[in-house]
């Protein structure tokens, strides 16, 4: 863990929760199907970009000063909130990775979040994944992991972090595909709408 300035890190958990709430409030107002000339959508997009930049600067400062939010100090929700904030920005992901690695090694953060973070960075750099968490669509019905460094080693790393095997992950990802003509469509329960 970083040498923590107790005063600066005391409210870390609340800070990341507040940052996530601001992010999610604006993200929830986005209409991703709106016409490009929609002025309201343009303003909301600019507001979201401003909040994302502000959150990234604040979180990067907190990471440098306090490390990754620790479960025993800042609460389990703080690490989850930090992950939600980090996942949208590659530079922030790269800054956060060593902090999250130390926290996971100390048993203070979730291993699956680390696997996803390291794989996102690898895919963005055009490198093979170490954990196989990032998927790509093969066709309208099938998803598979982005390129892996070595399937057997990936499976072992996944076990170490408490992730299911790659076959199970692929099965779950492909169960979510509900396009007409896909084999799994019959396995999906019909959507029910309240009147």
């Amino acid at each position: 863990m970083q040498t923590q300035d107790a005063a600066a890190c005391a409210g870390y958990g609340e800070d990341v929760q507040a940052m996530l709430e601001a992010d999610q409030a604006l993200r929830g107002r986005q209409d991703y199907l709106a016409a490009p000339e929609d002025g309201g959508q343009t303003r909301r997009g600019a507001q979201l970009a401003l909040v994302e930049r502000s959150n990234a600067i604040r979180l990067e400062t907190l990471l440098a000063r306090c490390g990754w939010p620790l479960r025993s100090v800042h609460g389990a929700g703080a690490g989850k909130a930090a992950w939600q904030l980090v996942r949208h920005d590659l530079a922030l992901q790269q800054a956060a990775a060593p902090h999250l690695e130390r926290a996971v090694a100390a048993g203070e953060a979730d291993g699956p979040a680390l696997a996803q973070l390291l794989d996102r960075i690898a895919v963005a750099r055009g490198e093979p994944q170490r954990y196989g968490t990032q998927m790509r669509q093969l066709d309208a019905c099938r998803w598979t992991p982005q390129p892996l460094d070595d399937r057997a080693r990936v499976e072992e790393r996944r076990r170490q972090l408490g992730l299911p095997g790659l076959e199970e992950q692929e099965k779950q990802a492909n169960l979510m595909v509900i396009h007409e003509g896909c084999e799994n469509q019959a396995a999906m329960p019909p959507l029910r709408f309240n009147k």
Side-chain angles (χ1 to χ4, degrees):
M1 182 158 69
Q2 311 305 105
T3 9
Q4 290 194 4
D5 172 358
C9 298
Y12 193 0
E14 293 81 13
D15 284 354
V16 292
Q17 293 287 357
M19 288 187 280
L20 181 60
E21 286 173 20
D23 175 275
Q24 296 299 300
L26 288 170
R27 205 169 290 284
R29 292 177 50 214
Q30 288 291 93
D31 180 358
Y32 295 99
L33 299 176
E37 62 276 0
D38 181 339
Q41 183 64 10
T42 302
R43 280 190 304 281
R44 288 187 297 275
Q47 290 169 339
L48 179 58
L50 179 63
V51 166
E52 284 178 338
R53 279 193 309 276
S54 174
N55 283 348
I57 291 166
R58 177 73 177 132
L59 187 53
E60 206 163 347
T61 300
L62 286 165
L63 286 165
R65 183 175 289 154
C66 310
W68 188 261
L70 305 177
R71 196 179 355 246
S72 66
V73 176
H74 308 105
K80 290 178 173 133
W83 164 241
Q84 291 294 319
L85 295 167
V86 161
R87 67 192 191 123
H88 299 294
D89 181 298
L90 179 59
L92 191 54
Q93 290 172 17
Q94 293 169 326
H99 301 290
L100 181 52
E101 284 179 297
R102 284 190 290 275
V104 168
E108 289 284 352
D110 295 329
L114 176 62
Q116 290 178 24
L117 178 63
L118 295 177
D119 281 350
R120 278 178 181 248
I121 293 169
V123 168
R125 291 178 176 169
E127 299 169 357
Q129 299 183 83
R130 295 177 42 88
Y131 298 93
T133 63
Q134 304 303 295
M135 304 291 282
R136 63 186 165 137
Q137 193 169 6
L138 292 177
D139 57 35
C141 298
R142 294 179 301 151
W143 288 78
T144 192
Q146 296 272 4
L148 309 169
D149 67 352
D150 176 275
R151 192 169 183 102
R153 292 174 65 202
V154 166
E155 291 286 12
E156 178 55 32
R157 288 184 206 117
R158 289 177 70 88
R159 271 191 296 281
Q160 290 172 356
L161 291 184
L163 291 165
L166 286 169
E167 189 174 310
E168 179 62 23
Q169 176 180 286
E170 283 184 73
K171 178 182 169 187
Q172 291 303 314
N174 286 305
L175 279 175
M176 291 188 287
V177 176
I178 48 174
H179 294 290
E180 194 171 319
C182 293
E183 288 178 23
N184 65 347
Q185 185 178 6
M188 296 296 290
L191 295 175
R192 301 198 191 280
F193 298 96
N194 294 334
K195 292 183 181 182

